[in-house]
């Protein structure tokens, strides 16, 4: 597991395209994430075979929070704790040692993602709170599920096994 580099952007775009229901963003978005936010993103796999990716950032007004944007594990790599291990890897980076909350949005029907974040919260011995955030009408003409906000925390990263 490592930080993404700009040379990974096209590969990340391909991985995300193979991981519905994730929204596929432009290659340029993945270039920006790799160039400016690599310290809060993680990639799993070798150059030509990417197995997993997490994008995240620290919202400027909440420096103790890691907002997780997209989590993707290739179909062939699922069920081996890779999603949760990528999250734990991120939290164990020295630059994120001050993080006390994880926020993310997850559709109501995304069982796998909800289970992964529940499992992470359990490892962190932290509660999960859920509130409405992005509702389907906010996506305009683009059909989209609601994206409620999940907030995990507070936690101490030192509690991770
Ligand atoms: C969500 C996703 C990243 C999970 O990746 P993964 O590596 O298979 O998940 P993990 O193996 O780390 O699973 C973590 C926990 O969730 C549970 N889980 C994972 N998938 C599950 C499923 N489909 N149904 C029920 N539980 C599931 C696991 O059993 C595990 O629980 P445990 O730690 O108690 O044993 C992966 O399914 C994926 O890429 N899905 C498509 C894209 C997506 O929906 N991303 C998230 C958007 S918010």
């Amino acid at each position: 597991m490592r930080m993404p580099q700009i040379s990974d952007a096209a590969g990340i775009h391909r991985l995300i395209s193979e991981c519905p229901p994730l929204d596929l963003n432009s290659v340029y978005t993945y270039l920006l994430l790799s160039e400016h936010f690599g310290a809060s993103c993680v990639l799993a796999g070798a150059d030509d075979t990417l197995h997993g990716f997490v994008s995240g950032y620290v919202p400027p007004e909440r420096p103790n929070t890691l907002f997780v944007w997209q989590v993707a594990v290739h179909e062939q790599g699922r069920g081996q704790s890779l999603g949760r291990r990528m999250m734990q890897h991120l939290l164990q980076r020295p630059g994120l040692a001050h993080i006390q909350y994880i926020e993310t949005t997850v559709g109501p029907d995304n069982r796998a993602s909800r289970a992964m974040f529940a499992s992470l919260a359990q490892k962190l011995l932290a509660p999960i709170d859920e509130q409405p955030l992005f509702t389907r009408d906010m996506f305009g003409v683009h059909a989209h599920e609601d994206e409620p906000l999940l907030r995990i925390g507070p936690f101490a990263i030192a509690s991770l096994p």
Side-chain angles (χ1 to χ4, degrees):
M1 292 187 208
R2 60 178 173 85
M3 277 171 50
Q5 299 175 341
I6 52 174
S7 54
D8 296 310
I12 295 170
H13 183 266
R14 190 169 53 247
L15 174 67
I16 300 292
S17 75
E18 292 169 354
C19 290
L22 290 178
D23 288 338
L24 181 61
N25 298 299
S26 64
V27 176
Y28 193 84
T29 309
Y30 299 110
L31 282 165
L32 284 181
L33 283 170
S34 305
E35 176 69 1
H36 296 150
F37 298 98
S40 50
C41 298
V42 58
L43 197 56
D47 290 352
D48 48 350
T49 338
L50 300 184
H51 300 302
F53 176 65
V54 178
S55 54
Y57 60 86
V58 176
E61 70 284 10
R62 291 200 303 287
N64 65 350
T65 300
L66 175 67
F67 182 83
V68 176
W69 184 0
Q70 292 193 305
V71 184
V73 172
H74 194 274
E75 210 170 356
Q76 289 166 4
R78 291 187 192 159
Q80 298 166 38
S81 307
L82 181 56
R84 181 170 48 74
R85 283 188 290 117
M86 287 193 294
M87 289 300 312
Q88 291 183 205
H89 169 96
L90 262 185
L91 291 174
Q92 283 168 333
R93 284 190 185 156
L96 296 177
H98 60 287
I99 293 297
Q100 295 175 296
Y101 293 90
I102 290 170
E103 291 184 358
T104 192
T105 68
V106 183
D109 300 331
N110 195 332
R111 214 167 129 237
S113 183
R114 284 174 174 270
M116 190 202 68
F117 282 107
S119 169
L120 179 65
Q122 204 175 24
K123 297 270 179 224
L124 288 163
L125 309 174
I128 305 189
D129 176 58
E130 181 163 351
Q131 301 283 336
L133 183 61
F134 305 133
T135 51
R136 61 180 62 208
D137 53 297
M138 293 174 183
F139 291 90
V141 294
H142 307 282
H144 205 291
E145 282 192 305
D146 289 340
E147 290 273 353
L149 179 74
L150 296 192
R151 190 163 200 250
I152 299 174
F155 54 78
I157 289 173
S159 65
L160 277 175

